[in-house]
Amino acid sequence: MHKVTKLAAALLLTFSGSVVMNTAVAAEKCPIDLRQSKAVGESSARKVQKAFEAYQASKLDDAIAILLEASPRGEFDKAYVDRMLGNFYAEKGQMDKAIKFLKVAVDADVLGGVDHASTLRLYSDLLLQEKKFKEAIVYYRKWMAFTCKKDAVVYRRMAIAYTEMQQWDNVLKTVDEGISLMEKPDKGLYQLKFQSLFNLKQYKKAVGVLETMVPLFPEDKRLWIQLAQLYLLTEDYDRSLATYEIAYEGGFLEKPDNIIRLCQLLSSKGAPYRGAVIFEKHIKSGLIPKDEKHLNMIAGFFHQAKELKKAADYYGQAAAMANDGKLYLKQGRLLSMQQKYKASIPVFEQALKSGLDNPGEAQYELMLSYLSLKQYKQAYRYAGLAAKDKKTAKSANNYIAYIKDKARIHNVSL
C-alpha cells in the first residue's frame, strides 16, 4: 500500500470525517460545532473521487492534474478543491503552491467544521515552515478561535515564530500559556523560555528554568552543561562546580572545553590536585590536545597542588614544544625548589638560549644553583651577568661579596 506522509495522513483522516487534536480547553457552541458539513456538487464530486483514486494509486501528479481541470461551481466547491490541491502540493514539497491554494480555502471560510479546522492548522504549519512567521501566528490564533481549543503544541509553534522574530516578551507570554496546558513536560517549550530569558539577559530567571528542566529531562547532557555554564555566568561558582562534577560523573562532559572548565573550577575552589588528575587523564586519552597551552595549564594545576615534580615535568614539555624561555625558567625554579640543582642548570641555560625579556632572571637562578653545588667560580660568573640586568642587579650584587668570601675560604680562584 502507498506509504503516505503525515500530510497525506491528515488528508485521509479528513476524508473519513475525523481529525485528531490535543484538546485542553473546549467551549460550548464553538464555531467548529456550528459549522455543518456539506457535500460538493455532482460535477466536482466526480473530479474529487477520481483524483483521490489516482492519489491512492501513487499517481500524485495525475491527481493534481485532474483537480486543476475541475471547474468547481460555487464558493464551497472551489474551497474544497483548493484544499485538496494544497494538500497534494504540500506532499510534493511544492510549498509555494500549497500555501497559495490553502490560503484560498481557509480565507473562504466555508468548509465544514472539521475540514476548515484541519486546513487552518495545516496552513499555519506550512507558513511557519516557510518562515512566514507573522502570518503563521495569525492563522494559529484563527485555528484556536474556530476550534475553541488551546493546544500546547500550537503555543510552542507560535513561540517559535516569535523567537524567529526576536520578540522575546511575546515568546515568554506564549510559552507560559503553553506550559500551563501541558499534559506532560514539553522540552521545547522550556527551551524557548530559557532562550528568551537568556536573550533578555534575565540570567537568574534563566537559571530557574534550567533548574526545572534538569530533573524533568535528566538524560539530556546539554542541560547539565548549560546549567553549569549559567551558574558560572551568574558567579555562583559553588553550584557551577557541583553541577559540572555531577555531569562529569554522569559522563556528560564530552568536549575538552567542559573538562577544562571543570578542572579550572576545582583548582580555584581548593582542589587543584583533583583538577590536575582529571586534566591529565584526558590529555592522555587525547580528548584534550597535548599542546603547549594545555601542558602549561596542567603544569599550573600540579604546581598549585604542590606536586612539584609533575609540575616541573609538564612545564618542561610545554617549554620544549614552544621553545619558550619563560616556561624553561619555571621548570628550572621548580627543580631548584626540590634541591635538584644539577638538573636545573641545563634547564636555565636552555631558558637563556630560548630567549627571555630579562636574561638576568635565569642568570640569577644559575648563580644560586652553582652556589648550592659549591661551584663558586661559575656562581661568581653568573652573579656578574645577573648584576647587569636591572631586574636582578640588586639581588645579584648582594651575593657577589658572599661568593668571594666562600671562594676565598675554599681556596677557589675566581
Side-chain angles (χ1 to χ4, degrees):
M1 181 179 175
H2 174 58
K3 184 178 180 181
V4 297
T5 65
K6 290 182 179 178
L7 291 171
L11 176 63
L12 292 172
L13 284 170
T14 302
F15 275 123
S16 67
S18 64
V19 65
V20 178
M21 297 181 185
N22 292 325
T23 304
V25 180
E28 293 181 2
K29 295 184 179 179
C30 218
I32 190 174
D33 299 320
L34 298 173
R35 182 75 63 81
Q36 297 297 316
S37 295
K38 299 179 183 179
V40 292
E42 185 177 347
S43 175
S44 295
R46 286 196 296 269
K47 292 287 187 181
V48 166
Q49 183 61 33
K50 189 176 179 182
F52 189 59
E53 288 171 358
Y55 170 79
Q56 286 184 309
S58 303
K59 296 177 180 179
L60 188 55
D61 288 336
D62 290 349
I64 290 172
I66 292 166
L67 290 177
L68 289 173
E69 292 173 357
S71 299
R73 296 179 181 177
E75 194 176 28
F76 177 81
D77 283 13
K78 177 169 174 46
Y80 198 94
V81 169
D82 285 340
R83 175 178 172 276
M84 283 189 72
L85 281 166
N87 275 268
F88 288 155
Y89 277 121
E91 185 164 343
K92 277 178 66 69
Q94 296 181 14
M95 298 308 173
D96 286 346
K97 290 183 178 180
I99 287 172
K100 172 187 171 184
F101 283 102
L102 289 173
K103 178 173 175 56
V104 174
V106 297
D107 286 350
D109 198 13
V110 293
L111 294 172
V114 172
D115 287 352
H116 186 62
S118 63
T119 307
L120 274 170
R121 182 71 175 263
L122 175 58
Y123 181 55
S124 304
D125 289 343
L126 292 184
L127 288 171
L128 180 64
Q129 179 181 317
E130 294 304 298
K131 304 185 186 303
K132 299 178 186 295
F133 304 117
K134 187 175 180 180
E135 298 94 323
I137 292 167
V138 169
Y139 281 92
Y140 278 128
R141 294 200 182 280
K142 285 186 177 183
W143 176 85
M144 287 194 290
F146 184 73
T147 60
C148 300
K149 299 178 191 299
K150 292 186 177 181
D151 185 321
V153 173
V154 170
Y155 278 104
R156 170 155 50 83
R157 290 176 183 174
M158 288 194 297
I160 289 170
Y162 282 126
T163 298
E164 292 291 341
M165 294 187 289
Q166 299 186 15
Q167 295 182 17
W168 306 118
D169 289 330
N170 284 329
V171 176
L172 287 175
K173 292 175 187 175
T174 307
V175 162
D176 284 338
E177 287 185 83
I179 288 173
S180 71
L181 299 170
M182 295 185 308
E183 293 182 4
K184 62 179 183 178
D186 186 321
K187 187 189 294 185
L189 282 168
Y190 284 114
Q191 286 174 329
L192 289 166
K193 184 170 185 177
F194 167 74
Q195 183 180 353
S196 302
L197 290 167
F198 189 87
N199 280 285
L200 288 168
K201 295 183 169 42
Q202 297 181 22
Y203 300 127
K204 290 189 177 180
K205 289 184 179 180
V207 165
V209 175
L210 289 176
E211 286 175 339
T212 300
M213 292 180 73
V214 165
L216 291 174
F217 314 103
E219 299 304 315
D220 190 330
K221 303 175 184 180
R222 295 170 302 172
L223 294 178
W224 289 93
I225 295 166
Q226 284 180 323
L227 180 57
Q229 290 173 337
L230 207 57
Y231 279 138
L232 201 59
L233 183 64
T234 56
E235 299 183 357
D236 193 340
Y237 301 114
D238 290 337
R239 281 194 174 94
S240 181
L241 174 57
T243 307
Y244 269 121
E245 288 214 83
I246 294 170
Y248 180 71
E249 294 300 326
F252 295 162
L253 303 187
E254 299 173 337
K255 294 184 178 180
D257 287 351
N258 292 319
I259 299 291
I260 291 167
R261 201 165 287 117
L262 166 63
C263 297
Q264 289 171 326
L265 280 167
L266 285 166
S267 182
S268 68
K269 298 301 289 184
Y273 182 74
R274 174 164 162 74
V277 169
I278 291 172
F279 203 102
E280 185 176 47
K281 174 184 175 181
H282 293 287
I283 274 190
K284 288 180 177 179
S285 75
L287 178 63
I288 296 176
K290 191 175 183 179
D291 55 25
E292 178 269 330
K293 174 185 174 183
H294 295 118
L295 288 169
N296 187 16
M297 197 175 288
I298 190 174
F301 293 147
F302 276 120
H303 192 172
Q304 189 178 347
K306 301 188 183 339
E307 291 287 328
L308 303 185
K309 183 178 179 181
K310 281 207 163 189
D313 177 57
Y314 279 115
Y315 278 133
Q317 291 184 48
M321 191 169 286
N323 192 31
D324 188 317
K326 289 183 179 178
L327 292 176
Y328 278 121
L329 187 62
K330 285 185 177 181
Q331 182 191 17
R333 282 171 171 164
L334 290 186
L335 290 170
S336 292
M337 288 175 69
Q338 298 170 76
Q339 299 184 354
K340 295 180 179 180
Y341 303 116
K342 190 173 182 179
S344 75
I345 288 171
V347 175
F348 288 131
E349 288 174 343
Q350 187 59 50
L352 287 170
K353 289 179 184 177
S354 298
L356 291 168
D357 293 338
N358 296 99
E361 290 184 287
Q363 291 159 349
Y364 182 80
E365 296 293 345
L366 279 163
M367 175 201 74
L368 292 175
S369 292
Y370 277 119
L371 186 58
S372 297
L373 293 169
K374 298 183 180 180
Q375 297 182 25
Y376 302 116
K377 187 172 183 177
Q378 292 90 333
Y380 182 72
R381 173 173 171 262
Y382 279 110
L385 292 170
K388 296 176 182 179
D389 190 317
K390 291 181 179 179
K391 190 168 184 179
T392 53
K394 184 177 180 180
S395 299
N397 279 317
N398 289 338
Y399 267 96
I400 287 176
Y402 175 77
I403 295 169
K404 284 181 178 179
D405 284 343
K406 284 289 185 178
R408 179 178 54 79
I409 292 169
H410 291 86
N411 295 316
V412 174
S413 174
L414 300 178

